[in-house]
Amino acid sequence: MKELLIIGIGAALVNNVVLSQFLGLCPFLGVSKKIETAAGMGAAVIFVITLSSLVTSLIYQFILVPTGMEYLQTIVFILIIAALVQFVEMFLKKSMPSLYQSLGVYLPLITTNCAVLGVAIINVQKEYNVLQGTINGFATAVGFTIAIVIMAGLREKIEGNDIPKAFQGFPIVLLTASLMAISFFGFSGLI
């Protein structure tokens, strides 16, 4: 249990996928304009990364390794992730059309979100078993959600401020993200 807790805290805070590994920057910067949209994207990413971590771990350990086809891991992982994202997209379109509309083009971009594929590959590289890989995936997605919601809150506050012309728009967003990355560095002493 202690090992799973360390994996979870490490993935969510210490090695935050966005702020320390720089994976998943496209949706992080693109969808973080409103808190509601960021939280919806975070929920979708939590679902996709957790489920893809579980499925990719199972397929890797019980199909690819026994058959000696580990070299196909990237292709297999991409196919699994694409199928899961299509499932999430169909679910959101039916059950939450307003969230589906607000996410727009960024929902299909989860398929190409390098954080999703990165977590699956990290699980293999660190030789996590199925439970450890799923916990790592869930915690990584929670860390992504924490980062994107904080960024959305900061961007909403920044919007009403008087910012010098040279920093307006994307430059202030990148500066904010860099300050967030520095602040998350403070979690490195936790584990």
Side-chain angles (χ1 to χ4, degrees):
M1 185 66 174
K2 181 180 177 184
E3 182 182 352
L4 295 177
L5 186 63
I6 289 172
I7 289 172
I9 291 172
L13 299 175
V14 177
N15 298 316
N16 187 285
V17 71
V18 176
L19 300 173
S20 71
Q21 296 178 3
F22 308 113
L23 297 174
L25 289 175
C26 180
F28 175 72
L29 296 173
V31 183
S32 62
K33 292 178 183 168
K34 301 266 184 234
I35 292 177
E36 296 82 21
T37 309
M41 175 60 110
V45 167
I46 287 173
F47 179 78
V48 169
I49 289 182
T50 304
L51 200 55
S52 70
S53 293
L54 173 68
V55 174
T56 55
S57 292
L58 287 170
I59 288 177
Y60 183 79
Q61 289 186 4
F62 296 114
I63 296 175
L64 295 179
V65 171
T67 59
M69 294 190 294
E70 296 95 339
Y71 59 90
L72 292 176
Q73 76 182 18
T74 305
I75 294 169
V76 171
F77 292 173
I78 289 172
L79 291 173
I80 291 168
I81 292 164
L84 289 172
V85 170
Q86 289 301 312
F87 173 73
V88 169
E89 190 172 0
M90 290 186 308
F91 175 77
L92 287 179
K93 191 174 188 178
K94 286 276 188 197
S95 63
M96 298 180 224
S98 60
L99 179 59
Y100 175 79
Q101 291 295 327
S102 65
L103 290 175
V105 72
Y106 293 101
L107 188 58
L109 281 178
I110 295 175
T111 304
T112 59
N113 185 347
C114 54
V116 183
L117 180 60
V119 169
I121 292 174
I122 288 169
N123 288 342
V124 169
Q125 288 175 343
K126 291 190 175 185
E127 298 177 356
Y128 287 153
N129 62 33
V130 175
L131 179 61
Q132 290 171 328
T134 305
I135 295 294
N136 183 52
F138 175 75
T140 299
V142 167
F144 176 87
T145 304
I146 290 169
I148 197 171
V149 169
I150 290 173
M151 175 59 99
L154 291 172
R155 285 181 78 173
E156 284 183 2
K157 294 288 184 192
I158 289 172
E159 200 172 282
N161 292 339
D162 185 28
I163 298 170
K165 187 170 173 75
F167 287 106
Q168 289 177 358
F170 208 61
I172 194 69
V173 172
L174 291 176
L175 186 60
T176 304
S178 65
L179 292 173
M180 283 178 59
I182 291 170
S183 66
F184 268 68
F185 185 69
F187 291 119
S188 63
L190 284 177
I191 56 171

